[in-house]
Amino acid sequence: AKIEKKVTKKGTLYGGVKAKDIVAALKAQFQLEVPETAIVLTDHIKAIGIFEVKLNFGEGVETVVPVEVVAKE
């Protein structure tokens, strides 16, 4: 999923990426309905780049999706 965020001149994000941002991106780009509670963020995403984000659906069902954070034009 690709997420656009405002970036400072140093390349860090103004707000950071939250679970709700990932849920919205998955829905908009792939028509996937993922509950916010399934998003497992082990570290805060506060920079541009590609990050591996775990989705845990319970009962041993989990997967990892790439999340690309890019600067908003």
Side-chain angles (χ1 to χ4, degrees):
K2 183 183 278 189
I3 298 175
E4 291 184 340
K5 286 289 205 175
K6 290 185 179 180
V7 179
T8 66
K9 291 179 183 177
K10 294 180 180 179
T12 59
L13 303 180
Y14 277 111
V17 176
K18 297 176 177 44
K20 68 179 182 176
D21 300 319
I22 297 168
V23 168
L26 290 171
K27 184 174 184 179
Q29 295 166 33
F30 304 104
Q31 293 74 49
L32 292 174
E33 294 281 346
V34 177
E36 256 186 73
T37 54
I39 308 291
V40 180
L41 291 173
T42 53
D43 291 319
H44 294 288
I45 299 176
K46 294 188 176 190
I48 57 174
I50 298 176
F51 302 88
E52 299 278 315
V53 175
K54 185 162 81 169
L55 305 180
N56 186 340
F57 297 102
E59 298 185 23
V61 179
E62 55 185 48
T63 189
V64 175
V65 295
V67 173
E68 181 180 12
V69 181
V70 297
K72 190 172 194 175
E73 299 291 323

